[in-house]
Amino acid sequence: MKQQFLALTAFLCALCAFQAHAQQDQVIGQYGIHVYVMVPTDKAGDRNYVRRAAEHACASKSVCYASVWAESLDRPEGVPPHPRYEENKLAQLQRNRNAGVEASFAANCRLFKKDINVPCLTGTD
């Protein structure tokens, strides 16, 4: 009985963490397949958090292109966004399940430490 209680407690904690994550991130615009996402400023330095936010924004879409920024910026609009937003973009995720591409993630290497497993956004390396 104790093991079942602990398992249920762990499940509920994971569910609460997922919901808190989903509530903090905000899809601020969608232009066709392009989704704009804002993450809390205090989470903007966490590359894994930023990636999860992009994946969450694209979760239900077969074809999706997510761009992620920190809340500290005013909201980018239009496609493509103004060049100043491209400089401050934290990351982007591309998915095209129709072409067999599950996810391609790239980060802004001026804002994140370079990682050989994560490509840099164009112009940020």
Side-chain angles (χ1 to χ4, degrees):
M1 182 70 159
K2 184 178 179 181
Q3 289 177 334
Q4 290 174 333
F5 176 74
L6 291 175
L8 179 60
T9 302
F11 172 76
L12 291 174
C13 287
L15 182 61
C16 290
F18 174 77
Q19 287 178 338
H21 181 273
Q23 291 171 357
Q24 290 177 344
D25 306 327
Q26 190 176 29
V27 173
I28 59 164
Q30 184 165 347
Y31 305 91
I33 63 168
H34 203 144
V35 180
Y36 290 1
V37 180
M38 290 284 224
V39 296
T41 305
D42 64 332
K43 301 291 186 186
D46 182 341
R47 182 182 13 236
N48 292 324
Y49 184 95
V50 170
R51 182 181 186 129
R52 286 190 307 270
E55 289 171 345
H56 185 262
C58 287
S60 64
K61 299 168 178 54
S62 292
V63 179
C64 183
Y65 182 95
S67 295
V68 185
W69 288 274
E71 276 181 340
S72 58
L73 295 173
D74 54 341
R75 296 170 183 263
E77 294 182 357
V79 175
H82 190 278
R84 75 180 178 147
Y85 294 109
E86 288 298 318
E87 295 172 10
N88 295 316
K89 186 189 307 184
L90 298 174
Q92 67 186 28
L93 178 122
Q94 296 180 53
R95 167 186 288 157
N96 186 344
R97 289 182 177 150
N98 299 337
V101 179
E102 180 54 34
S104 170
F105 180 78
N108 186 330
C109 289
R110 278 185 259 156
L111 303 175
F112 291 106
K113 182 179 175 185
K114 288 187 181 182
D115 180 332
I116 61 169
N117 298 313
V118 180
C120 295
L121 290 173
T122 304
T124 68
D125 41 359

